[in-house]
């Protein structure tokens, strides 16, 4: 069996610098913009590099992959994310593992704000 390590997450984007700005805000990361139109957030403890590559074609259909972002206060972060251009998708869901709020970033990419259960 091969040994592999997750190197980076690449997100196709109509406006890479703008989308990277949103994710840099959400994750508390530094944004780097490249001259070729790409932007990225350097790898940090607990997170691989996240790159945003230019792609003018809109994504279509149901997303089968999304990121979960752990936060202390789902409601507060969801409100702040909406002010930055994100959208809330449905109610907060709570189960035995904790709670999550499905969101969409400014380009419609799905992610969830999560908070683990206290037990």
């Amino acid at each position: 069996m091969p040994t592999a390590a997750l190197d980076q997450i690449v997100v196709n984007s109509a406006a890479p610098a703008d989308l990277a700005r949103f994710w840099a805000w959400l994750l508390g990361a530094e944004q780097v913009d490249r001259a070729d139109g790409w932007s990225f957030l350097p790898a940090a403890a607990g997170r691989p590099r996240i790159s945003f590559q230019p792609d003018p074609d809109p994504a279509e259909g149901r997303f089968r992959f999304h990121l979960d972002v752990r936060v202390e206060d789902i409601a507060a972060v969801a409100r702040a994310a909406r002010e930055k251009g994100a959208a809330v998708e449905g109610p907060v869901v709570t189960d035995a593992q904790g709670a999550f709020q499905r969101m969409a970033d400014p380009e419609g990419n799905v992610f969830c704000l999560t908070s683990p259960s206290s037990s």
Side-chain angles (χ1 to χ4, degrees), residues 6 15 19-20 22-24 26-28 58 61 66 69 77 80 85-86 88 90 92 95 112 117-118:
L6 183 60
L19 193 57
F22 171 81
W23 283 96
L26 183 64
L27 298 174
H66 70 267
V69 179
V77 176
V88 172
V92 172
D95 61 21
C112 289
S117 69
S118 56

Side-chain angles (χ1 to χ4, degrees), residues 5-10 34 38-41 48-52:
L6 183 60
D7 182 43
Q8 71 177 323
I9 296 167
V10 179
R34 293 182 2 194
W38 283 64
S39 292
F40 67 91
L41 311 181
R49 174 177 164 145
I50 303 174
S51 295
F52 301 85

Side-chain angles (χ1 to χ4, degrees), residues 11 21 24 26 36 38 43 63-64:
V11 179
R21 187 172 307 108
L26 183 64
D36 61 0
W38 283 64
F63 294 99
R64 294 183 150 292

Side-chain angles (χ1 to χ4, degrees), residues 81 89 93 119:
E89 297 189 343
V93 175
S119 55

Side-chain angles (χ1 to χ4, degrees), residues 70-92:
R70 185 177 297 179
V71 298
E72 291 296 320
D73 185 336
I74 290 174
V77 176
R79 273 192 306 276
R82 286 184 63 197
E83 291 174 7
K84 298 282 187 181
V88 172
E89 297 189 343
V92 172

